[in-house]
């Protein structure tokens, strides 16, 4: 969480959001009106926040960065369509690709693609088309919302597409609960990743390396994942 986000929570009269994310910031909510909402009620949540903001300072809580698979777009869309004149500030956070990437080392040093495997709002056929194009570029691909109880096969399908274009030795990293309680990290390869699908859930993010990505290994363990920026092509070090 960025310092500006912490400041916004402190300034808010009312805080609204998904219960999971509100639980993470509960120590900062004392003395505030707190409105909890669940999955699938994002539009109602946005409408409620805009209505409350007519005469109060309202903070809408979202995971990671609100503008990356978060609540910013729906709040702005509802405001646009309703003609709301409420002042809105989108406060940057740290999206999972960056926070989890730091825990893995440096897997995203150059160009990369992020994709969500959730087909709740995007048809699966379109997700498959985008995945095919992404893996053809042979740059790192980061998979959000990789595997839920109701969508266990989407990750299998995504990895099958990756294998069309990338060798079995391609590094794969998974981070679960980045910078939260229960944080875990897994480093493996595309060829062996199928044995680890059970490790992946909706609190995880999956990194599939590009053609230059490698695993940095010590004598006893995998220390991290590196995607070279390209300095080796210009400098001697």
């Amino acid at each position: 969480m960025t310092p500006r986000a912490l400041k916004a929570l402190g300034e808010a009269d009312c805080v609204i959001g998904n219960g999971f994310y509100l639980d993470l910031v509960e120590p900062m909510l004392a003395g505030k009106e707190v409105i909890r909402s669940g999955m699938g009620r994002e539009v109602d949540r946005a409408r409620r926040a805009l209505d409350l903001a007519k005469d109060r300072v309202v903070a809408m809580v979202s995971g990671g960065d609100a503008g990356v698979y978060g609540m910013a777009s729906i709040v702005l869309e509802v405001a646009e369509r309703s003609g709301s004149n409420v002042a809105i500030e989108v406060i940057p956070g740290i999206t999972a690709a960056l926070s989890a990437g730091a825990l893995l080392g440096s897997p995203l040093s150059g160009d990369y693609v992020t994709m969500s495997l959730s087909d709740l709002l995007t048809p699966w056929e379109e997700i498959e088309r985008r995945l095919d194009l992404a893996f053809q570029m042979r740059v790192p691909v980061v998979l959000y919302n990789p595997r839920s109880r109701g969508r266990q096969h989407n990750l299998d399908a995504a990895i099958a597409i990756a294998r069309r274009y990338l060798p079995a030795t391609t590094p794969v990293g998974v981070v679960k609960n980045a910078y939260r309680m229960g944080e875990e990290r897994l480093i493996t390869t595309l060829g062996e990743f199928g044995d680890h699908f059970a490790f992946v859930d909706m609190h995880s993010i999956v990194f599939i390396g590009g053609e230059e990505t490698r695993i940095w290994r010590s004598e006893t363990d995998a220390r991290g994942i590196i995607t070279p920026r390209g300095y080796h092509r210009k400098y001697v070090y």
Side-chain angles (χ1 to χ4, degrees):
M1 194 186 302
T2 59
R4 178 67 191 96
L6 286 170
K7 186 171 185 290
L9 278 177
E11 295 169 346
D13 304 311
C14 175
V15 181
I16 183 170
N18 183 293
F20 174 79
Y21 298 117
L22 289 174
D23 289 342
L24 294 174
V25 295
E26 188 173 5
M28 292 165 262
L29 303 181
K32 302 181 184 298
E33 180 181 2
V34 178
I35 299 173
R36 293 176 174 270
S37 179
M39 288 290 293
R41 300 184 61 190
E42 289 82 6
V43 175
D44 291 340
R45 198 183 313 158
R47 287 175 176 152
R48 183 79 183 278
L50 289 167
D51 185 58
L52 290 167
K54 292 175 182 177
D55 55 12
R56 280 179 272 185
V57 178
V58 178
M60 169 74 77
V61 174
S62 189
D65 184 287
V68 182
Y69 309 118
M71 285 295 298
S73 63
I74 187 59
V75 171
L76 296 177
E77 285 185 85
V78 170
E80 177 188 40
R81 295 190 183 194
S82 66
S84 173
N85 292 318
V86 168
I88 302 172
E89 178 185 4
V90 179
I91 297 172
I94 302 170
T95 186
L98 303 185
S99 59
L103 293 171
L104 289 171
S106 186
L108 307 178
S109 299
D111 300 324
Y112 64 92
V113 175
T114 65
M115 290 282 302
S116 171
L117 297 189
S118 172
D119 54 2
L120 293 176
L121 299 175
T122 304
W124 178 248
E125 294 75 17
E126 178 61 18
I127 293 172
E128 284 188 306
R129 186 187 73 84
R130 295 175 187 178
L131 285 168
D132 192 81
L133 293 170
F135 286 120
Q136 284 187 60
M137 290 193 288
R138 299 177 185 269
V139 298
V141 175
V142 187
L143 302 177
Y144 283 68
N145 304 312
R147 188 171 182 267
S148 69
R149 286 189 293 270
R151 292 185 289 98
Q152 297 194 22
H153 301 297
N154 290 12
L155 180 61
D156 307 51
I159 297 305
I161 295 171
R163 287 173 177 154
R164 295 176 193 167
Y165 305 104
L166 296 166
T169 55
T170 301
V172 172
V174 183
V175 176
K176 184 184 296 186
N177 296 313
Y179 295 96
R180 297 174 182 161
M181 292 291 293
E183 178 185 288
E184 295 181 81
R185 185 185 84 157
L186 169 71
I187 295 176
T188 183
T189 64
L190 192 59
E192 298 175 352
F193 186 36
D195 297 331
H196 300 284
F197 280 179
F199 178 81
V200 182
D201 61 16
M202 286 293 283
H203 301 300
S204 306
I205 186 164
V206 176
F207 294 72
I208 301 168
E211 61 184 345
E212 292 190 298
T213 306
R214 64 178 184 267
I215 297 175
W216 176 22
R217 298 187 185 276
S218 66
E219 293 182 0
T220 59
D221 200 6
R223 295 190 62 181
I225 296 177
I226 301 172
T227 299
R229 177 78 187 279
Y231 290 105
H232 60 288
R233 290 190 282 270
K234 188 173 183 180
Y235 303 102
V236 176
Y237 54 90

